[in-house]
Amino acid sequence: MKQSIRSRLLNFLLRLLRRPLWNLAQLTALRARFAKLDKRVAGKADLFCRISQVDLSHCQADVLQPLDFSDDPLSAKHLLLFHGGAYCLHSPNTYRAMLAGICSNLGAIGVLPDYRLAPEHPHPAAIDDCFESYQMLLDKGVPPSHIALLGDSAGGGLVLSILAKIRGAKLPMPTSASLFSPAGDWTLSGPSLYENEGRDPMFRLSSFLFFRSLYLAGYDASDPAVSPLLASFDGYPPMYFTASSTELLRDVAVVGAAKAREAGVPVEIDIWPGHCHDMQLMAVLPESKIALNKLCEFISKHW
């Protein structure tokens, strides 16, 4: 698909904001900027869903139920979303809005854990919280065949981590797993991290070196528990990967899809030409709507 004018303009604006170096003071400022932008979409999810909260051990999770929903919640389809944000950021209104639209399309209940963030809570806090949210659904009696996982960026890395933990705990797998522009390899060994340096409109390699230092906090990057792309994909459910051709994280999706195929896992992958990282979140882009519709088709097919 030809890249839209809006996408080209967005890439230009993102390049103007891209930073060569990061520090903790800039992270604090970035969190404040994210919060300000996030307020602009406050209440949008309410147009599609009723929102409530459920308590986990160390955080809460939003539960989104479509306004016209009338099924028994325990027999309903559930979409468990792990948000992105480099393991350090969260824009709750933005993710509620995206999840509400998807759930309304699918007639499903959405669950969005507000997992703990680094650097205050480094690895494995986020993984523990997200894994608990999956266990919570099983404990409530939701069939695993009615649960689909979705994650973007850091949330995509968390999807890979949770699949590995589910397998390790010998729990039943969800029906599918979808990953947008996923993280998941803190060894930073993918060729795209170097081929796309300067081409990615949002990040530079130094960005990932900074966020890695905050999230790992001394853990070994080559440990599959830390970098879940390095784990075996045996026994995983059908997987859907998307990424941009020019983003630094492109090869996490490419390698993940290849590992899934080698493990006999049904897999689909879309590489979007020239777009920014995580473009599905950019509601102003026509490509975002197309990508989210493809996501819904994939999830529906495996439910």
Side-chain angles (χ1 to χ4, degrees):
M1 177 180 176
K2 186 177 179 180
Q3 189 179 7
S4 69
I5 293 176
R6 286 188 180 185
S7 176
R8 293 176 187 273
L9 178 59
L10 177 62
N11 284 355
F12 172 76
L13 294 173
L14 289 171
R15 286 190 177 95
L16 294 179
L17 298 172
R18 186 176 56 187
R19 292 183 180 273
L21 297 172
W22 287 86
N23 57 45
L24 287 175
Q26 290 170 343
L27 175 63
T28 300
L30 186 62
R31 282 176 167 175
R33 185 192 303 166
F34 266 52
K36 186 176 181 180
L37 292 171
D38 194 52
K39 286 182 179 178
R40 297 182 181 181
V41 294
K44 284 196 173 182
D46 298 329
L47 300 175
F48 302 97
C49 291
R50 291 183 290 274
I51 303 174
S52 59
Q53 281 76 39
V54 61
D55 290 329
L56 300 173
S57 296
H58 301 287
C59 65
Q60 287 189 320
D62 292 328
V63 179
L64 287 71
Q65 185 168 298
L67 296 177
D68 58 354
F69 194 84
S70 59
D71 296 341
D72 176 4
L74 293 183
S75 63
K77 306 295 194 298
H78 283 68
L79 181 58
L80 182 53
L81 169 62
F82 306 139
H83 70 79
Y87 299 86
C88 299
L89 304 159
H90 185 24
S91 300
N93 292 314
T94 301
Y95 281 95
R96 287 179 194 134
M98 182 180 76
L99 182 58
I102 296 171
C103 289
S104 179
N105 186 323
L106 293 172
I109 293 175
V111 179
L112 174 62
D114 186 13
Y115 60 81
R116 289 170 290 171
L117 301 176
E120 296 84 357
H121 303 282
H123 174 84
I127 296 173
D128 291 343
D129 293 344
C130 291
F131 181 62
E132 185 183 358
S133 68
Y134 183 75
Q135 286 183 305
M136 174 197 70
L137 292 179
L138 296 180
D139 292 344
K140 284 180 176 293
V142 179
S145 60
H146 286 188
I147 303 173
L149 303 187
L150 169 62
D152 71 297
S153 194
L158 288 168
V159 167
L160 293 177
S161 294
I162 298 321
L163 291 177
K165 287 205 64 155
I166 291 170
R167 182 181 58 200
K170 295 182 170 52
L171 294 174
M173 284 286 174
T175 186
S176 69
S178 302
L179 304 87
F180 295 160
S181 297
D185 179 12
W186 284 114
T187 66
L188 303 179
S189 58
S192 61
L193 284 160
Y194 307 94
E195 293 172 1
N196 286 336
E197 176 74 356
R199 300 177 70 201
D200 188 318
M202 191 176 294
F203 293 114
R204 293 180 177 175
L205 180 57
S206 59
S207 310
F208 293 111
L209 293 171
F210 172 69
F211 289 120
R212 180 174 70 175
S213 70
L214 299 184
Y215 175 64
L216 267 61
Y219 281 88
D220 181 3
S222 64
D223 184 346
V226 175
S227 295
L229 184 69
L230 307 182
S232 164
F233 279 35
D234 291 340
Y236 285 4
M239 305 183 77
Y240 176 45
F241 292 88
T242 68
S244 164
S245 64
T246 52
E247 69 169 304
L248 293 175
L249 290 180
R250 179 198 67 204
D251 286 344
V252 176
V254 171
V255 172
K259 291 190 68 169
R261 289 193 189 97
E262 291 172 2
V265 174
V267 62
E268 297 180 26
I269 181 170
D270 285 320
I271 302 296
W272 293 79
H275 291 282
C276 66
H277 170 80
D278 224 0
M279 65 89 169
Q280 289 84 355
L281 277 178
M282 314 299 178
V284 298
L285 301 181
E287 294 92 340
S288 172
K289 298 178 178 63
I290 295 170
L292 290 176
N293 284 335
K294 293 192 73 172
L295 166 74
C296 291
E297 291 172 3
F298 174 82
I299 293 174
S300 295
K301 177 170 63 176
H302 294 288
W303 268 337

